[in-house]
Amino acid sequence: MSTIMCVVGARPNFIKIAPIMAALQVYSSITVKLTHTGQHYDAMLSDVFFHDLGLREPDVRLGVGSGSAVTQVAQIMTSFERACEEERPDAVLVVGDVNSSLACALTSVKLGVKLIHVEAGLRSHDRQMPEEINRVLIDAVSDLLFCTEESAVKALITEGRPKEKIYLVGNVMIDSLLQNLPRARESKILEELGVTPHSYAVATLHRPGAVDSPERFAEILNALETIQRDLPLIMPLHPRTRKNIYAFHFEERLAQMSNLRVLEPLGYLDFLQLNSNARVVLTDSGGLQEETTALHVPCITVRENTERPITVDVGSNQLAGLSCQGILDAYHRVQTEQFSNRAVPPLWDGHAATRIAKIIADFLG
Ligand code: UD1
Ligand code: UDP
């Protein structure tokens, strides 16, 4: 009998872990446990996902909350060490690239516990991004590396990771999406917002590179201002972004955009219904670049780079940069070119977690 400790902390983690835990539970030789670090704690960034995805109550709650990256990582490491000493896992499984994933990865390797990384090898090659540092460090110490796309496999091999640790398995974010789309279709969010399919745009922003600098944030708002004159724009606000709107005194600017609806963050099912019916999505989110690709919804990525190049190569994603003109050019292409018939990447078929669970079960013997 082996015990795997799965780790979640921030919004995208819940969506990725749900199908993995379900697939692992099929194996009677594996006990699956769950730690929530508490990096995200607002009900609409955490609890709602447990409800929407049918995730069970965590076995361990570290309750670390917000703080500087150093404080957050340090506090998670000390608390997670205690949790591992009590729970004695044979392996720790982390997903994605948030601070919680890094902190638990480092703790696990320091304790000599096997480490599994799901969504390994993604590289923006931009060391200004906190997530890029997290990704590189987690991958350097992982025993099993599960990749969503071929570029990730190549990056890991270039970095000298042994081939036998690397598996191209597909995308657990898309497992969740395909599993939950029928339930999302029951959401009444479109009626509540008074919009009809393909007649509105959705925007989400939360990267420090986009919203922590008043100049850059203002530049993006210039583009959103023009776009909302053309198409109703719905924007569920991440708390980092909301905080900065007040800090930079942008409330008045937003209030003057008469076709912009600013909302609290939405739950998974409501948001899936909303983004899957959008005419276009503007975002700096990693997960949304993938979801729009699987849904064939045109996506404008408000960033200079992406660690998910396959979404641009075969999917419906455009890398627009952070300038107002770059975003508006990409928006113009959405109006004039065909993005909705682009392909879905190989293995993004809803069965990534099943493949991952089988490999883990063999690995743990
Ligand atoms: C984190 C991840 C990012 C991920 C994002 C998903 C890191 C380095 N960043 O960014 O990769 O894309 O989550 O959404 O791990 N806050 C609240 N309530 C909460 C949580 C946060 O109000 O429940 C506020 C706090 O003021 C906090 C700020 O949001 O300081 C930022 O939170 P944090 O978890 O540090 O980073 P995110 O921007 O959420
Ligand atoms: N999401 C959500 N509600 C929202 C905004 C996003 O459920 O109001 C979902 C989105 O569909 C995706 C995930 O949150 O599944 C992405 O999380 P986020 O953008 O916060 O993080 P990233 O993927 O950039 O790390």
PDB file of all heavy atoms in Angstrom, residues 149-177:
ATOM      1  N   GLU A 149       2.373  19.028 -23.485  1.00  0.00           N
ATOM      2  CA  GLU A 149       2.658  19.268 -24.905  1.00  0.00           C
ATOM      3  C   GLU A 149       4.119  18.957 -25.207  1.00  0.00           C
ATOM      4  O   GLU A 149       4.969  18.932 -24.319  1.00  0.00           O
ATOM      5  CB  GLU A 149       2.289  20.703 -25.309  1.00  0.00           C
ATOM      6  CG  GLU A 149       2.959  21.806 -24.519  1.00  0.00           C
ATOM      7  CD  GLU A 149       2.690  23.201 -25.101  1.00  0.00           C
ATOM      8  OE1 GLU A 149       3.426  23.605 -26.044  1.00  0.00           O
ATOM      9  OE2 GLU A 149       1.764  23.866 -24.629  1.00  0.00           O
ATOM     10  N   GLU A 150       4.383  18.733 -26.496  1.00  0.00           N
ATOM     11  CA  GLU A 150       5.710  18.306 -26.942  1.00  0.00           C
ATOM     12  C   GLU A 150       6.794  19.330 -26.583  1.00  0.00           C
ATOM     13  O   GLU A 150       7.917  18.949 -26.251  1.00  0.00           O
ATOM     14  CB  GLU A 150       5.638  18.096 -28.466  1.00  0.00           C
ATOM     15  CG  GLU A 150       6.798  17.345 -29.080  1.00  0.00           C
ATOM     16  CD  GLU A 150       7.046  15.952 -28.521  1.00  0.00           C
ATOM     17  OE1 GLU A 150       6.074  15.185 -28.413  1.00  0.00           O
ATOM     18  OE2 GLU A 150       8.215  15.652 -28.192  1.00  0.00           O
ATOM     19  N   SER A 151       6.487  20.622 -26.614  1.00  0.00           N
ATOM     20  CA  SER A 151       7.499  21.652 -26.297  1.00  0.00           C
ATOM     21  C   SER A 151       8.049  21.437 -24.882  1.00  0.00           C
ATOM     22  O   SER A 151       9.208  21.716 -24.605  1.00  0.00           O
ATOM     23  CB  SER A 151       6.909  23.060 -26.410  1.00  0.00           C
ATOM     24  OG  SER A 151       6.068  23.342 -25.299  1.00  0.00           O
ATOM     25  N   ALA A 152       7.201  20.945 -23.989  1.00  0.00           N
ATOM     26  CA  ALA A 152       7.605  20.721 -22.595  1.00  0.00           C
ATOM     27  C   ALA A 152       8.576  19.548 -22.509  1.00  0.00           C
ATOM     28  O   ALA A 152       9.570  19.594 -21.778  1.00  0.00           O
ATOM     29  CB  ALA A 152       6.370  20.464 -21.736  1.00  0.00           C
ATOM     30  N   VAL A 153       8.298  18.503 -23.286  1.00  0.00           N
ATOM     31  CA  VAL A 153       9.202  17.343 -23.313  1.00  0.00           C
ATOM     32  C   VAL A 153      10.581  17.796 -23.803  1.00  0.00           C
ATOM     33  O   VAL A 153      11.615  17.482 -23.200  1.00  0.00           O
ATOM     34  CB  VAL A 153       8.638  16.239 -24.244  1.00  0.00           C
ATOM     35  CG1 VAL A 153       9.626  15.093 -24.389  1.00  0.00           C
ATOM     36  CG2 VAL A 153       7.277  15.756 -23.736  1.00  0.00           C
ATOM     37  N   LYS A 154      10.571  18.576 -24.871  1.00  0.00           N
ATOM     38  CA  LYS A 154      11.846  19.069 -25.442  1.00  0.00           C
ATOM     39  C   LYS A 154      12.603  19.912 -24.426  1.00  0.00           C
ATOM     40  O   LYS A 154      13.812  19.769 -24.271  1.00  0.00           O
ATOM     41  CB  LYS A 154      11.569  19.913 -26.691  1.00  0.00           C
ATOM     42  CG  LYS A 154      11.154  19.078 -27.891  1.00  0.00           C
ATOM     43  CD  LYS A 154      11.372  19.847 -29.184  1.00  0.00           C
ATOM     44  CE  LYS A 154      10.898  19.020 -30.367  1.00  0.00           C
ATOM     45  NZ  LYS A 154       9.760  19.610 -31.068  1.00  0.00           N
ATOM     46  N   ALA A 155      11.884  20.799 -23.718  1.00  0.00           N
ATOM     47  CA  ALA A 155      12.551  21.677 -22.737  1.00  0.00           C
ATOM     48  C   ALA A 155      13.210  20.850 -21.642  1.00  0.00           C
ATOM     49  O   ALA A 155      14.340  21.123 -21.228  1.00  0.00           O
ATOM     50  CB  ALA A 155      11.545  22.657 -22.142  1.00  0.00           C
ATOM     51  N   LEU A 156      12.502  19.821 -21.178  1.00  0.00           N
ATOM     52  CA  LEU A 156      13.047  19.004 -20.085  1.00  0.00           C
ATOM     53  C   LEU A 156      14.294  18.248 -20.553  1.00  0.00           C
ATOM     54  O   LEU A 156      15.282  18.147 -19.815  1.00  0.00           O
ATOM     55  CB  LEU A 156      11.978  18.025 -19.587  1.00  0.00           C
ATOM     56  CG  LEU A 156      10.799  18.677 -18.850  1.00  0.00           C
ATOM     57  CD1 LEU A 156       9.696  17.661 -18.591  1.00  0.00           C
ATOM     58  CD2 LEU A 156      11.263  19.302 -17.529  1.00  0.00           C
ATOM     59  N   ILE A 157      14.259  17.751 -21.772  1.00  0.00           N
ATOM     60  CA  ILE A 157      15.427  17.021 -22.291  1.00  0.00           C
ATOM     61  C   ILE A 157      16.604  17.990 -22.455  1.00  0.00           C
ATOM     62  O   ILE A 157      17.736  17.685 -22.075  1.00  0.00           O
ATOM     63  CB  ILE A 157      15.056  16.289 -23.596  1.00  0.00           C
ATOM     64  CG1 ILE A 157      14.138  15.118 -23.232  1.00  0.00           C
ATOM     65  CG2 ILE A 157      16.301  15.804 -24.349  1.00  0.00           C
ATOM     66  CD1 ILE A 157      13.499  14.413 -24.379  1.00  0.00           C
ATOM     67  N   THR A 158      16.313  19.187 -22.964  1.00  0.00           N
ATOM     68  CA  THR A 158      17.367  20.203 -23.106  1.00  0.00           C
ATOM     69  C   THR A 158      17.991  20.529 -21.753  1.00  0.00           C
ATOM     70  O   THR A 158      19.190  20.779 -21.652  1.00  0.00           O
ATOM     71  CB  THR A 158      16.776  21.502 -23.716  1.00  0.00           C
ATOM     72  OG1 THR A 158      16.112  21.155 -24.913  1.00  0.00           O
ATOM     73  CG2 THR A 158      17.830  22.545 -23.992  1.00  0.00           C
ATOM     74  N   GLU A 159      17.163  20.523 -20.703  1.00  0.00           N
ATOM     75  CA  GLU A 159      17.671  20.832 -19.354  1.00  0.00           C
ATOM     76  C   GLU A 159      18.338  19.627 -18.697  1.00  0.00           C
ATOM     77  O   GLU A 159      18.730  19.694 -17.524  1.00  0.00           O
ATOM     78  CB  GLU A 159      16.520  21.354 -18.472  1.00  0.00           C
ATOM     79  CG  GLU A 159      16.092  22.752 -18.873  1.00  0.00           C
ATOM     80  CD  GLU A 159      14.807  23.217 -18.193  1.00  0.00           C
ATOM     81  OE1 GLU A 159      14.431  22.678 -17.140  1.00  0.00           O
ATOM     82  OE2 GLU A 159      14.166  24.128 -18.747  1.00  0.00           O
ATOM     83  N   GLY A 160      18.419  18.522 -19.428  1.00  0.00           N
ATOM     84  CA  GLY A 160      19.157  17.369 -18.914  1.00  0.00           C
ATOM     85  C   GLY A 160      18.359  16.415 -18.054  1.00  0.00           C
ATOM     86  O   GLY A 160      18.930  15.557 -17.371  1.00  0.00           O
ATOM     87  N   ARG A 161      17.031  16.534 -18.064  1.00  0.00           N
ATOM     88  CA  ARG A 161      16.232  15.570 -17.293  1.00  0.00           C
ATOM     89  C   ARG A 161      16.248  14.231 -18.024  1.00  0.00           C
ATOM     90  O   ARG A 161      16.128  14.193 -19.259  1.00  0.00           O
ATOM     91  CB  ARG A 161      14.774  16.044 -17.132  1.00  0.00           C
ATOM     92  CG  ARG A 161      14.614  17.428 -16.502  1.00  0.00           C
ATOM     93  CD  ARG A 161      14.540  17.387 -14.996  1.00  0.00           C
ATOM     94  NE  ARG A 161      15.772  16.995 -14.353  1.00  0.00           N
ATOM     95  CZ  ARG A 161      16.840  17.772 -14.212  1.00  0.00           C
ATOM     96  NH1 ARG A 161      16.870  18.994 -14.703  1.00  0.00           N
ATOM     97  NH2 ARG A 161      17.915  17.334 -13.592  1.00  0.00           N
ATOM     98  N   PRO A 162      16.372  13.127 -17.280  1.00  0.00           N
ATOM     99  CA  PRO A 162      16.427  11.816 -17.944  1.00  0.00           C
ATOM    100  C   PRO A 162      15.117  11.486 -18.650  1.00  0.00           C
ATOM    101  O   PRO A 162      14.038  11.707 -18.104  1.00  0.00           O
ATOM    102  CB  PRO A 162      16.646  10.845 -16.776  1.00  0.00           C
ATOM    103  CG  PRO A 162      17.021  11.674 -15.600  1.00  0.00           C
ATOM    104  CD  PRO A 162      16.494  13.048 -15.827  1.00  0.00           C
ATOM    105  N   LYS A 163      15.248  10.941 -19.864  1.00  0.00           N
ATOM    106  CA  LYS A 163      14.069  10.646 -20.694  1.00  0.00           C
ATOM    107  C   LYS A 163      13.073   9.739 -19.990  1.00  0.00           C
ATOM    108  O   LYS A 163      11.864   9.871 -20.168  1.00  0.00           O
ATOM    109  CB  LYS A 163      14.523   9.945 -21.981  1.00  0.00           C
ATOM    110  CG  LYS A 163      14.807  10.900 -23.108  1.00  0.00           C
ATOM    111  CD  LYS A 163      14.995  10.156 -24.413  1.00  0.00           C
ATOM    112  CE  LYS A 163      15.377  11.156 -25.483  1.00  0.00           C
ATOM    113  NZ  LYS A 163      16.339  10.684 -26.447  1.00  0.00           N
ATOM    114  N   GLU A 164      13.605   8.794 -19.180  1.00  0.00           N
ATOM    115  CA  GLU A 164      12.696   7.798 -18.578  1.00  0.00           C
ATOM    116  C   GLU A 164      11.806   8.393 -17.476  1.00  0.00           C
ATOM    117  O   GLU A 164      10.875   7.750 -17.024  1.00  0.00           O
ATOM    118  CB  GLU A 164      13.464   6.569 -18.078  1.00  0.00           C
ATOM    119  CG  GLU A 164      14.545   6.834 -17.037  1.00  0.00           C
ATOM    120  CD  GLU A 164      15.892   7.247 -17.639  1.00  0.00           C
ATOM    121  OE1 GLU A 164      15.941   7.590 -18.834  1.00  0.00           O
ATOM    122  OE2 GLU A 164      16.905   7.248 -16.902  1.00  0.00           O
ATOM    123  N   LYS A 165      12.085   9.635 -17.081  1.00  0.00           N
ATOM    124  CA  LYS A 165      11.216  10.284 -16.082  1.00  0.00           C
ATOM    125  C   LYS A 165      10.095  11.085 -16.745  1.00  0.00           C
ATOM    126  O   LYS A 165       9.206  11.597 -16.066  1.00  0.00           O
ATOM    127  CB  LYS A 165      12.039  11.253 -15.228  1.00  0.00           C
ATOM    128  CG  LYS A 165      13.021  10.599 -14.286  1.00  0.00           C
ATOM    129  CD  LYS A 165      13.662  11.659 -13.399  1.00  0.00           C
ATOM    130  CE  LYS A 165      14.590  11.013 -12.379  1.00  0.00           C
ATOM    131  NZ  LYS A 165      15.211  11.992 -11.492  1.00  0.00           N
ATOM    132  N   ILE A 166      10.166  11.261 -18.078  1.00  0.00           N
ATOM    133  CA  ILE A 166       9.292  12.222 -18.770  1.00  0.00           C
ATOM    134  C   ILE A 166       8.180  11.492 -19.533  1.00  0.00           C
ATOM    135  O   ILE A 166       8.453  10.563 -20.298  1.00  0.00           O
ATOM    136  CB  ILE A 166      10.122  13.066 -19.769  1.00  0.00           C
ATOM    137  CG1 ILE A 166      11.298  13.732 -19.063  1.00  0.00           C
ATOM    138  CG2 ILE A 166       9.249  14.097 -20.471  1.00  0.00           C
ATOM    139  CD1 ILE A 166      12.315  14.365 -19.995  1.00  0.00           C
ATOM    140  N   TYR A 167       6.954  11.920 -19.337  1.00  0.00           N
ATOM    141  CA  TYR A 167       5.805  11.301 -20.025  1.00  0.00           C
ATOM    142  C   TYR A 167       4.918  12.387 -20.624  1.00  0.00           C
ATOM    143  O   TYR A 167       4.482  13.293 -19.910  1.00  0.00           O
ATOM    144  CB  TYR A 167       4.967  10.473 -19.048  1.00  0.00           C
ATOM    145  CG  TYR A 167       5.705   9.293 -18.474  1.00  0.00           C
ATOM    146  CD1 TYR A 167       6.476   9.437 -17.315  1.00  0.00           C
ATOM    147  CD2 TYR A 167       5.646   8.039 -19.084  1.00  0.00           C
ATOM    148  CE1 TYR A 167       7.169   8.355 -16.783  1.00  0.00           C
ATOM    149  CE2 TYR A 167       6.333   6.954 -18.554  1.00  0.00           C
ATOM    150  CZ  TYR A 167       7.098   7.122 -17.398  1.00  0.00           C
ATOM    151  OH  TYR A 167       7.772   6.056 -16.879  1.00  0.00           O
ATOM    152  N   LEU A 168       4.645  12.260 -21.923  1.00  0.00           N
ATOM    153  CA  LEU A 168       3.664  13.145 -22.568  1.00  0.00           C
ATOM    154  C   LEU A 168       2.296  12.491 -22.406  1.00  0.00           C
ATOM    155  O   LEU A 168       2.041  11.425 -22.975  1.00  0.00           O
ATOM    156  CB  LEU A 168       4.019  13.299 -24.050  1.00  0.00           C
ATOM    157  CG  LEU A 168       3.121  14.220 -24.877  1.00  0.00           C
ATOM    158  CD1 LEU A 168       3.185  15.657 -24.378  1.00  0.00           C
ATOM    159  CD2 LEU A 168       3.520  14.175 -26.352  1.00  0.00           C
ATOM    160  N   VAL A 169       1.441  13.087 -21.593  1.00  0.00           N
ATOM    161  CA  VAL A 169       0.188  12.405 -21.212  1.00  0.00           C
ATOM    162  C   VAL A 169      -1.070  13.172 -21.592  1.00  0.00           C
ATOM    163  O   VAL A 169      -2.181  12.655 -21.462  1.00  0.00           O
ATOM    164  CB  VAL A 169       0.129  12.151 -19.684  1.00  0.00           C
ATOM    165  CG1 VAL A 169       1.076  11.054 -19.283  1.00  0.00           C
ATOM    166  CG2 VAL A 169       0.380  13.437 -18.908  1.00  0.00           C
ATOM    167  N   GLY A 170      -0.927  14.430 -22.014  1.00  0.00           N
ATOM    168  CA  GLY A 170      -2.114  15.255 -22.262  1.00  0.00           C
ATOM    169  C   GLY A 170      -2.340  16.214 -21.109  1.00  0.00           C
ATOM    170  O   GLY A 170      -1.432  16.462 -20.314  1.00  0.00           O
ATOM    171  N   ASN A 171      -3.560  16.710 -21.010  1.00  0.00           N
ATOM    172  CA  ASN A 171      -3.807  17.890 -20.185  1.00  0.00           C
ATOM    173  C   ASN A 171      -4.966  17.669 -19.212  1.00  0.00           C
ATOM    174  O   ASN A 171      -6.123  17.546 -19.623  1.00  0.00           O
ATOM    175  CB  ASN A 171      -4.125  19.049 -21.146  1.00  0.00           C
ATOM    176  CG  ASN A 171      -4.087  20.381 -20.462  1.00  0.00           C
ATOM    177  OD1 ASN A 171      -4.425  20.484 -19.290  1.00  0.00           O
ATOM    178  ND2 ASN A 171      -3.675  21.390 -21.184  1.00  0.00           N
ATOM    179  N   VAL A 172      -4.644  17.646 -17.911  1.00  0.00           N
ATOM    180  CA  VAL A 172      -5.701  17.388 -16.919  1.00  0.00           C
ATOM    181  C   VAL A 172      -6.705  18.551 -16.811  1.00  0.00           C
ATOM    182  O   VAL A 172      -7.852  18.359 -16.414  1.00  0.00           O
ATOM    183  CB  VAL A 172      -5.118  17.057 -15.523  1.00  0.00           C
ATOM    184  CG1 VAL A 172      -4.437  15.708 -15.538  1.00  0.00           C
ATOM    185  CG2 VAL A 172      -4.190  18.148 -15.018  1.00  0.00           C
ATOM    186  N   MET A 173      -6.262  19.757 -17.180  1.00  0.00           N
ATOM    187  CA  MET A 173      -7.193  20.909 -17.208  1.00  0.00           C
ATOM    188  C   MET A 173      -8.316  20.610 -18.215  1.00  0.00           C
ATOM    189  O   MET A 173      -9.475  20.968 -17.992  1.00  0.00           O
ATOM    190  CB  MET A 173      -6.394  22.134 -17.666  1.00  0.00           C
ATOM    191  CG  MET A 173      -7.007  23.443 -17.367  1.00  0.00           C
ATOM    192  SD  MET A 173      -6.458  23.910 -15.719  1.00  0.00           S
ATOM    193  CE  MET A 173      -7.118  25.532 -15.591  1.00  0.00           C
ATOM    194  N   ILE A 174      -7.945  19.952 -19.291  1.00  0.00           N
ATOM    195  CA  ILE A 174      -8.937  19.639 -20.333  1.00  0.00           C
ATOM    196  C   ILE A 174      -9.766  18.415 -19.920  1.00  0.00           C
ATOM    197  O   ILE A 174     -10.934  18.298 -20.298  1.00  0.00           O
ATOM    198  CB  ILE A 174      -8.232  19.442 -21.705  1.00  0.00           C
ATOM    199  CG1 ILE A 174      -7.370  20.670 -22.046  1.00  0.00           C
ATOM    200  CG2 ILE A 174      -9.250  19.152 -22.815  1.00  0.00           C
ATOM    201  CD1 ILE A 174      -8.092  22.020 -21.965  1.00  0.00           C
ATOM    202  N   ASP A 175      -9.189  17.517 -19.120  1.00  0.00           N
ATOM    203  CA  ASP A 175     -10.009  16.431 -18.537  1.00  0.00           C
ATOM    204  C   ASP A 175     -11.178  17.043 -17.766  1.00  0.00           C
ATOM    205  O   ASP A 175     -12.328  16.655 -17.935  1.00  0.00           O
ATOM    206  CB  ASP A 175      -9.202  15.593 -17.527  1.00  0.00           C
ATOM    207  CG  ASP A 175      -8.146  14.702 -18.169  1.00  0.00           C
ATOM    208  OD1 ASP A 175      -7.916  14.832 -19.375  1.00  0.00           O
ATOM    209  OD2 ASP A 175      -7.549  13.885 -17.432  1.00  0.00           O
ATOM    210  N   SER A 176     -10.856  18.012 -16.886  1.00  0.00           N
ATOM    211  CA  SER A 176     -11.892  18.656 -16.074  1.00  0.00           C
ATOM    212  C   SER A 176     -12.914  19.351 -16.959  1.00  0.00           C
ATOM    213  O   SER A 176     -14.124  19.261 -16.733  1.00  0.00           O
ATOM    214  CB  SER A 176     -11.275  19.706 -15.141  1.00  0.00           C
ATOM    215  OG  SER A 176     -11.016  19.140 -13.893  1.00  0.00           O
ATOM    216  N   LEU A 177     -12.396  20.029 -17.969  1.00  0.00           N
ATOM    217  CA  LEU A 177     -13.296  20.783 -18.860  1.00  0.00           C
ATOM    218  C   LEU A 177     -14.293  19.840 -19.542  1.00  0.00           C
ATOM    219  O   LEU A 177     -15.509  20.073 -19.520  1.00  0.00           O
ATOM    220  CB  LEU A 177     -12.452  21.532 -19.896  1.00  0.00           C
ATOM    221  CG  LEU A 177     -13.190  22.432 -20.886  1.00  0.00           C
ATOM    222  CD1 LEU A 177     -12.315  23.619 -21.277  1.00  0.00           C
ATOM    223  CD2 LEU A 177     -13.601  21.696 -22.135  1.00  0.00           C
TER     224      LEU A 177
END
